[in-house]
Amino acid sequence: MFDKRIQDIHIKKNREHEAGVTSLHSNKSREHVIVSGSYDEYIRLWDIRNLKRSVSSVKMPGTLWRLKWDPFIQKYLLAACMYGGVHIVSAANDNIQIVKSYYEHKNISYGADWCTLQNDDVDKFNFDGNVIIGTCSFYEKLLCVSKAYCDFSV
């Protein structure tokens, strides 16, 4: 953590991850919450007011490459886990757990993102689910578009 009033000097640091951190994403609905992913295969949820230890963590089935909060209520994360697939992860009540997994890519899953279409527009597509996600792989040069169900009630 850096204080912009103090040049080039960190004021706090944490080495809870056991390997390089590859993804960091803030939560726009909860101003003190960030999530990190690492080569150590862990997603960690943090409260930036106390960086001594993470609030919660979950071991994923592969190295984390991309994390992205859902654009609706910021309760779910999409996690691209390189050789471990793509997962929808619930972070409700600071308890992180995998709720849905996708293994469409035979190779490295590098990217994942949410579609911001609302329910009426999503319903026009003939598959089960209330949200559209996109995932991509590196060597296959493949983009997959899928529907999934997420409970977006608050």
Side-chain angles (χ1 to χ4, degrees):
M1 177 181 281
F2 289 87
D3 184 334
K4 66 182 179 179
R5 298 168 295 182
I6 304 170
Q7 272 189 330
D8 299 329
I9 300 171
H10 66 270
I11 57 173
K12 291 182 184 179
K13 62 182 171 180
N14 180 295
R15 295 191 188 272
E16 192 169 334
H17 279 293
E18 295 177 7
V21 175
T22 56
S23 186
L24 188 67
H25 206 242
S26 61
N27 186 309
K28 72 179 185 179
S29 295
R30 299 172 62 200
E31 68 178 307
H32 300 290
V33 172
I34 60 173
V35 66
S36 61
S38 169
Y39 279 110
D40 68 4
E41 300 181 356
Y42 276 89
I43 295 176
R44 298 188 191 283
L45 185 74
W46 304 89
D47 183 326
I48 62 171
R49 296 169 294 187
N50 181 4
L51 289 174
K52 289 183 180 180
R53 67 183 57 88
S54 60
V55 173
S56 180
S57 66
V58 64
K59 184 164 175 65
M60 300 299 289
T63 297
L64 271 294
W65 192 254
R66 171 88 162 128
L67 290 172
K68 183 84 183 253
W69 288 106
D70 77 78
F72 307 106
I73 61 171
Q74 296 75 50
K75 173 176 156 182
Y76 295 98
L77 290 157
L78 266 180
C81 295
M82 293 183 75
Y83 289 107
V86 177
H87 309 275
I88 296 177
V89 178
S90 171
N93 303 318
D94 296 339
N95 181 25
I96 305 173
Q97 59 184 346
I98 298 171
V99 294
K100 183 75 176 165
S101 297
Y102 296 88
Y103 295 100
E104 291 132 347
H105 303 292
K106 306 277 187 263
N107 235 299
I108 298 175
S109 298
Y110 257 9
D113 205 350
W114 302 89
C115 178
T116 59
L117 289 176
Q118 299 300 316
N119 280 345
D120 291 342
D121 294 320
V122 172
D123 288 343
K124 294 175 185 174
F125 297 94
N126 270 347
F127 302 98
D128 290 334
N130 64 341
V131 66
I132 297 173
I133 61 169
T135 63
C136 62
S137 66
F138 186 75
Y139 294 113
E140 293 172 292
K141 303 174 191 152
L142 181 64
L143 167 68
C144 292
V145 178
S146 308
K147 280 180 75 175
Y149 179 79
C150 292
D151 179 8
F152 290 118
S153 60
V154 179

